[in-house]
Amino acid sequence: MRYFQFEHYFWLLRFACCLLLLSNPCTLKAFAIDSKMLQQKLNVEKGNTDLTTKNALVELQRFYKSRNYEPVWFLQTASSSLLDNALTFIESADKEGLDSRDYQFPKLLQLKQLEEQRSSSQSVTLELQTTRAVLTLARDLSRGRLSASSADPDWHIPQPSFDAVTFLQKALQSGDLTQSFNSLSPQEPSYQLLKQTLIRYQQISNNANWEKIPDMPSLRPHSTDSAVVLLRQRIAQAYAIEGIEAYNITPSDSLVYDEELVNAIKAFQTQHNLNADGVIGRNTLKALNTPLEWRIRQLRISMERLRWLPKNLGNRHILVNIAGFRLTATEQGKSPLNMRIIVGMGYRSTPSFKSNMSHMVLNPYWTVPATIAQKDLLPKQQKNPAFFTTSNFKVYASYDREAEPIDPASVDWRALKNFPFLLRQQPGKNNALGRVKFMFPNSFDIYLHDTPSRALFQKDVRTFSSGCIRLEKPFELAAFVLGKQELSETFLTKIEEGNPATMHLPKQLPIYLMYITAWVDEQQNVHFSSDIYDRDMRALRYAGW
C-alpha cells in the first residue's frame, strides 16, 4: 500500500514539474545552454577581424571567463525577469538620446519572441548578444558613445574611464539590476531635465509641423503685420509642447502685435537665449522657424557632451558654456552666481577644456599676442598714427623684459607688412582686460577677464573676443573664487591704486569651458542656443545622428 502511495506522489511531482517548465519557455531553454557551448561560440568568434567586434569579444571573454562561462540570462537558478530587465534597459537607449538599434535591440527582441521555437544555437546568440549590448550601452551611458576628440576636435576634456565588465559583475551581485542600470547616466538635474524634454519631443515629433514665419523686417511691439496671425499659431504650438504659461495666449485673428503676444515672444526669446526685448528680428525669426527635429538633435548631442564630462566636477567649480554665452559658478549643488560672457569670434573660437584656476591679476597689463597685433591693431595704427599713444600702448623693439619702449612716432607704420615689435597696453580703465583677469594653466593662452566694452553684453550673439572670455560681472566672480560674500577693502584698495598685483586663490578652483547648445538654468528651465561654431553639426555628422 505504501509503495502505491509513493508511486502516486512521484508521478504527481513529475507532472507538476512538467507544467512549470511548459509555463516558462525561457526556463525550458535554459537547459539548452551550458558553459561549453558559450565557450565554443566565443572561441569561434575570435577569428573576426573587425576591430570593434574584437574589442567586444575581449570584453565578453573576460566577463564569461570570470564566471566559468556560465550564462547570465538563461541560468536555471536565475529569475526569468533578468532577460526582460536587460532588454528593457537596451530599449531605453532611445530615451537617453542614443539609438537602441545600435545595440541590436530589434534582433534581440525577435530572438526572445521565438521562445520555444528558438534553437539552442539561437539561445546562445541571444545570451551573448544581450551581454554585449548591455556592456556597450553601459559604457556609452557612463562616458559617452562617441570619441569626444573625434566628434569634436575642439573638445579637450578627457572622457571618464569606465570598466563595463566590472560594472555588470557588481550589478548582478547587487540583486537590483534595474537600479544599477539607472545609475549609469549622469544624475545631475540638468541631464535629467534634458532627457525629459527629449522624450517629450520624441513623442510628438511626427505630428509637429511648425508654422513657418516668412522673412520680414524687424517687427516691433504694437506694430501691425499679416505675419502676426502666424506668430500666434506658432506660439500656440509652443504652448502645446512646452506648457510654458506665457505661451498660453488668447486665440485671436488680430493683426496687431499686442502686449500679450509681445510677452509670449519675450518668454520665447528667453528660452532661446536671446535678448527678451520683444522685437522679432533675424535671430528670433530663426529660432521660431527652427524645426523640432533640430531641437531633438541638439538635445541628443548636448546629452552626449554631458556624458563626456567627469562624474564629479567638484564641490565648488565654474562652468563656462561657450555656446550659451554664459558662466555659472556652482557651490554645493547650487549656483549663487551666473553672468553673460563674450567668447571667441568664429576664426578664433574658444576651445573646450578643463583646468584649475590658481590666481587673479589686478590691474593687468595686456601683452598683445603677435597675431592680434598684426591683424587687428596694426591697421588701426596705420589709419590713425596716434592710436597706440591714445590707447595707452607701449611699443618695444624686442621681447626682452629689460627693453625700453620706443617712440611710436619713430616708426613708419604704413611701410610695415609684418609686426616685428612687442605691444603692451598699460593698466587702466580702458585696458582691454579691464581691472582683473583670472588665470588658469592651459595650452591655449585662454583666461577670463573684465572688459571696458560693456555694451557688447546686450548682443544676442556674443562672439567678439580673440578666444578669451570677457565677463559681465568680474568683481562678483572675484568674490566667489576667493570664497567671500563680498570683496575686502584690501582688494578694492589695490584696484583703486591702479598698480598690477597678483592675488592667489585660497584653493585652486576647477573650471570647465564647454560647448553645450541645449542647457538648463538655475530655475530648472531648458534653453536652446545657436550652434555658433557649427560644432554640433560636425559632431552630429560624425555620429550619424
Side-chain angles (χ1 to χ4, degrees), residues 406-418:
I406 63 175
D407 183 357
S410 67
V411 179
D412 184 0
W413 297 104
R414 292 181 181 276
L416 288 181
K417 292 185 178 180
N418 295 316

Side-chain angles (χ1 to χ4, degrees), residues 126-167:
L126 178 56
E127 166 75 25
L128 294 177
Q129 291 301 322
T130 298
T131 304
R132 176 179 176 178
V134 167
L135 291 173
T136 303
L137 180 54
R139 181 174 56 253
D140 292 351
L141 286 176
S142 181
R143 69 183 305 270
R145 176 167 179 78
L146 309 176
S147 163
S149 59
S150 298
D152 181 357
D154 293 301
W155 185 280
H156 303 277
I157 304 173
Q159 287 176 265
S161 59
F162 181 75
D163 187 336
V165 170
T166 299
F167 161 78

